[in-house]
Amino acid sequence: MKVLLVDDHPLILAALQTVIQGLGDDVTVIGVDSAQAARLALQQDSDYDLVLLDLSLGDADGFDVLAEFRQNYPALPVVVVSASDRASDVIRAIDLGAMGFVPKRSSNTALFDALRMVMSGGLYVPPMMLG
């Protein structure tokens, strides 16, 4: 599985790369720190299985990037990983085509569960949204 991770905070980017790599030996994680770098990565190699996208990027609005990726790469699942856990952000991300929304305060287990669900064709929303 090849994952593109987009987050402009170096510590978060490194931590998420390590966590996602823990999904298995067959997982390759490419981390980029901007929307522009993500666009370039996808233009150079669109053979990704999953994109993890932060909503707060220094060079672009994450919702705009999400909509752009869904339009340009409709078969590529995008999961939002965000510091926000506002219901309005979750709903907006799903409405724009995200296959999942994982708050950054989630546990590693919750992140793994979300990614497995999305990779098997499901849609993941935080449990707090289901109540």
Side-chain angles (χ1 to χ4, degrees):
M1 179 167 72
K2 190 170 174 183
V3 179
L4 179 62
L5 175 58
V6 187
D7 196 304
D8 65 341
H9 293 92
L11 288 174
I12 300 294
L13 188 63
L16 280 173
Q17 280 180 291
T18 301
V19 168
I20 295 162
Q21 196 69 49
L23 281 170
D25 293 335
D26 64 334
V27 177
T28 302
V29 182
I30 307 299
V32 296
D33 63 0
S34 67
Q36 184 58 34
R39 289 181 188 107
L40 185 60
L42 286 169
Q43 287 169 2
Q44 291 176 344
D45 179 9
S46 62
D47 191 32
Y48 285 90
D49 299 299
L50 179 68
V51 173
L52 296 181
L53 176 66
D54 185 19
L55 290 178
S56 298
L57 299 170
D59 66 337
D61 177 87
F63 288 113
D64 293 341
V65 175
L66 171 59
E68 174 187 333
F69 285 0
R70 298 307 304 138
Q71 173 149 356
N72 294 339
Y73 308 96
L76 180 60
V78 178
V79 173
V80 171
V81 179
S82 178
S84 169
D85 58 6
R86 291 189 307 249
S88 60
D89 287 343
V90 176
I91 292 166
R92 183 175 178 200
I94 298 299
D95 283 350
L96 287 172
M99 295 302 297
F101 191 106
V102 181
K104 286 184 179 174
R105 64 182 178 91
S106 299
S107 68
N108 291 358
T109 302
L111 177 61
F112 288 162
D113 290 347
L115 298 183
R116 285 187 186 104
M117 182 176 292
V118 168
M119 292 310 297
S120 67
L123 180 72
Y124 180 86
V125 294
M128 65 186 180
M129 291 293 298
L130 302 176

